[in-house]
Amino acid sequence: MRRSHCRIPPSVPEAETEYQAVPLQLSLHISSTMSHSLVGLVSGICLIVGTMIGSGIFISPKSVLLYSGAVGPCLLIWAACGVLATLGALCYAELGTMITKSGGEYSYLMEAYGPIPAYLFSWTTVMVLKPSSFAIITLSFAKYASTPFYPDCTPPEVVSKCLAAAAILVIVTVNSLSVKLASYVQNFFTAAKLLIILIIVVAGIVLLAQGNTENLTNAFDGTAQSFGAIGLAFYNGLWAYDGWNQLNFITEELINPYRNLPLAIIIGIPLVGVCYVMVNVAYFTVMTTNELLLSPAVAVTFGDRVLHPMSWIVPLFVVFSTFGSANGSCFTAGRLAYVSGREGHMVKILSYISLKRYTPAPALIFNGLLAIIYIMPADINTLINYFSFAQWMFYGMTALCLIVMRFTKKELHRPVKVPIVIPVLMVLVSCYLVLAPIIDKPQLEYLYCTIFIFGGLLLYYPFVHLKVNWARKIMRPITMHLQLLMEVVPPEKTE
């Protein structure tokens, strides 16, 4: 087969025909092989829990407390974020069992509204949201991994960024090698992060039993009154819950999605919500609000005060947690780029599959390269705020898809059907989370973000809608050489 790949005639169009003819004969085999390395219920729960419990619970407590103003509203916001994530995931359970395609929101926007909103989602998510999320998580990983080596000062920025880039390279390599290997890595790190959460929660319960409740009295003194501040508190809380929709990105690789998708959601997300509230209660048993706000790493400070001399296990397990979360983010991001490439909304090479490994290697590598670029100027809190602004705009549009398709796609089979009030609530909450910070504190960055999203139309019209010939002539040899270099082939045609 490799010899036939090497005998490519000089004529590019003919070469493309000959080169693709052989791999397309393999597409059915590749598709079936991918289907046998699919994700079961336990791995699905681990993907949800493992992606959600990452850096957020170890970073966001400071920001949620800062914007909410007091312990009481802080804990209420953590609980409300858990309820909101569960309601959103239930909407996605109906969408995911109704439209059993990978790609998450992309597939649902395409079905409900047509190609332009789906393209704008894939453009924004593939180019900014997914890689910036990957960058944020790996920066958190690097911060915790390097802190023990600099006990008396903050780790140098260049060390953190180099370590984050190294983590991205390792994770992309693992995901490009094997779906099963990536699942095993996810399962291991999910177990590790649940263990450290359990240690912190049990320690907190013991401290509460011993009467360390001083910081939980008068819990609502100093509550923030600002409309926008509460919105920003929710942004940072929901950042810690981000990942509740990740299973929908790999629906095609999920065993029995009609059963396992809603089950994984119902089990995984409430489990995370309970963990998060209990972890925050544990933090407040040993730290005042001022101490928590001043702590460079909340979980590490907790470990130093409670688990000494075994306090080293906290940063170690936080490193495991953030690495596992980054792995889950990479796993799902590759699927979105793969699906949008398959639909013609991204360059074709992103939709190709490794001939040997049966993974969407080009999409994974592209996501990793963008994440490394975003690491360079990154400020974690700024990235979280702008990430959330754009992300919740698309969450609201996706919840609206559910309402729209109840009227326009009545014939579709719905194994899971949620009450209409749930998507309506999600749309209203999304509008609040998008508009509240902008109204409260207008900043040019929100405008830049909006311009970037709609700026994608400048590429859509000539390259996707018109399919201009000169662009295809330029891309054809580039695609062919990348195909040879990475040994990747087109997927089975599913449309």
Side-chain angles (χ1 to χ4, degrees):
M1 187 177 294
R2 286 190 181 180
R3 287 197 300 272
S4 69
H5 285 197
C6 294
R7 293 199 299 270
I8 297 177
S11 169
V12 170
E14 291 176 12
E16 186 185 46
T17 304
E18 181 174 333
Y19 182 61
Q20 288 192 0
V22 176
L24 281 171
Q25 292 171 1
L26 294 170
S27 64
L28 187 59
H29 168 67
I30 288 170
S31 181
S32 65
T33 307
M34 286 182 75
S35 71
H36 282 93
S37 53
L38 294 187
V39 178
L41 176 61
V42 173
S43 291
I45 294 169
C46 286
L47 181 63
I48 290 176
V49 174
T51 308
M52 288 174 73
I53 302 177
S55 59
I57 190 58
F58 310 113
I59 291 176
S60 296
K62 289 170 63 176
S63 299
V64 175
L65 178 62
L66 176 66
Y67 291 117
S68 61
V71 174
C74 175
L75 295 176
L76 286 176
I77 284 170
W78 279 106
C81 288
V83 172
L84 191 60
T86 305
L87 294 178
L90 287 172
C91 294
Y92 277 57
E94 177 174 331
L95 288 165
T97 52
M98 180 171 62
I99 302 165
T100 54
K101 296 179 184 177
S102 292
E105 292 95 335
Y106 176 83
S107 299
Y108 316 143
L109 292 168
M110 175 74 84
E111 192 75 29
Y113 308 129
I116 292 178
Y119 167 80
L120 290 178
F121 171 78
S122 65
W123 157 255
T124 308
T125 307
V126 171
M127 298 303 293
V128 177
L129 299 185
K130 283 292 183 183
S132 69
S133 175
F134 197 9
I136 292 166
I137 298 167
T138 51
L139 281 168
S140 304
F141 160 82
K143 179 181 175 182
Y144 275 92
S146 56
T147 296
F149 299 98
Y150 297 89
D152 300 320
C153 62
T154 304
E157 208 169 88
V158 67
V159 171
S160 295
K161 290 184 177 182
C162 288
L163 196 55
I168 288 171
L169 291 175
V170 170
I171 290 166
V172 168
T173 302
V174 166
N175 279 269
S176 298
L177 287 175
S178 166
V179 173
K180 276 190 175 179
L181 179 59
S183 287
Y184 290 149
V185 168
Q186 192 65 31
N187 294 355
F188 171 78
F189 284 106
T190 299
K193 67 182 67 180
L194 285 174
L195 179 59
I196 189 58
I197 291 284
L198 183 64
I199 290 170
I200 293 173
V201 168
V202 169
I205 291 170
V206 171
L207 289 165
L208 281 174
Q210 291 173 348
N212 292 280
T213 59
E214 185 181 340
N215 296 326
L216 299 170
T217 56
N218 301 318
F220 289 87
D221 289 353
T223 301
Q225 304 295 321
S226 167
F227 181 74
I230 297 297
L232 287 171
F234 268 97
Y235 265 9
N236 285 277
L238 288 163
W239 160 249
Y241 281 96
D242 196 64
W244 52 265
N245 62 329
Q246 296 301 289
L247 211 53
N248 291 68
F249 283 91
I250 59 160
T251 306
E252 291 174 24
E253 296 173 68
L254 192 63
I255 297 170
N256 192 3
Y258 299 121
R259 171 185 176 271
N260 289 340
L261 180 60
L263 260 183
I265 287 167
I266 291 164
I267 295 169
I269 298 173
L271 174 65
V272 173
V274 171
C275 287
Y276 279 4
V277 173
M278 293 302 293
V279 165
N280 276 275
V281 171
Y283 289 156
F284 288 120
T285 60
V286 294
M287 283 179 273
T288 65
T289 53
N290 286 335
E291 287 171 336
L292 192 144
L293 290 172
L294 292 172
S295 169
V298 180
V300 173
T301 303
F302 179 88
D304 289 340
R305 295 191 181 185
V306 178
L307 303 174
H308 192 75
M310 296 289 290
S311 57
W312 56 269
I313 68 170
V314 174
L316 175 65
F317 276 88
V318 172
V319 165
F320 287 169
S321 177
T322 48
F323 190 88
S325 184
N327 180 72
S329 176
C330 177
F331 189 84
T332 56
R335 273 62 186 173
L336 174 60
Y338 159 77
V339 172
S340 56
R342 189 174 66 186
E343 294 284 352
H345 286 174
M346 288 286 156
V347 290
K348 192 180 290 185
I349 190 69
L350 293 182
S351 70
Y352 284 15
I353 298 166
S354 170
L355 186 61
K356 292 180 179 177
R357 308 291 181 182
Y358 312 116
T359 58
L364 292 164
I365 292 166
F366 182 69
N367 181 58
L369 289 173
L370 286 178
I372 290 173
I373 292 169
Y374 288 129
I375 278 171
M376 296 174 188
D379 169 64
I380 289 179
N381 285 327
T382 305
L383 275 174
I384 288 171
N385 288 342
Y386 301 132
F387 169 86
S388 298
F389 160 74
Q391 187 70 75
W392 277 93
M393 186 164 66
F394 288 116
Y395 285 160
M397 287 178 65
T398 307
L400 190 60
C401 284
L402 193 56
I403 301 168
V404 168
M405 285 193 284
R406 286 282 177 91
F407 299 99
T408 61
K409 306 279 184 179
K410 292 181 181 180
E411 73 283 359
L412 290 177
H413 177 53
R414 291 172 170 83
V416 176
K417 192 169 183 179
V418 299
I420 196 75
V421 68
I422 293 179
V424 169
L425 182 63
M426 282 298 296
V427 171
L428 294 175
V429 170
S430 300
C431 290
Y432 167 73
L433 290 171
V434 169
L435 296 174
I438 299 174
I439 294 169
D440 185 65
K441 192 178 178 182
Q443 290 182 317
L444 278 176
E445 284 81 355
Y446 294 119
L447 178 63
Y448 298 152
C449 186
T450 307
I451 290 171
F452 177 84
I453 292 170
F454 289 99
L457 292 173
L458 297 176
L459 296 174
Y460 176 85
Y461 186 70
F463 299 120
V464 179
H465 182 69
L466 293 181
K467 294 186 172 128
V468 290
N469 282 330
W470 60 266
R472 301 177 78 180
K473 286 178 182 176
I474 291 170
M475 285 307 300
R476 189 176 291 130
I478 294 172
T479 301
M480 192 162 50
H481 283 94
L482 287 173
Q483 200 175 349
L484 285 165
L485 178 67
M486 293 188 283
E487 294 187 333
V488 292
V489 296
E492 180 186 8
K493 301 294 183 184
T494 58
E495 299 300 324

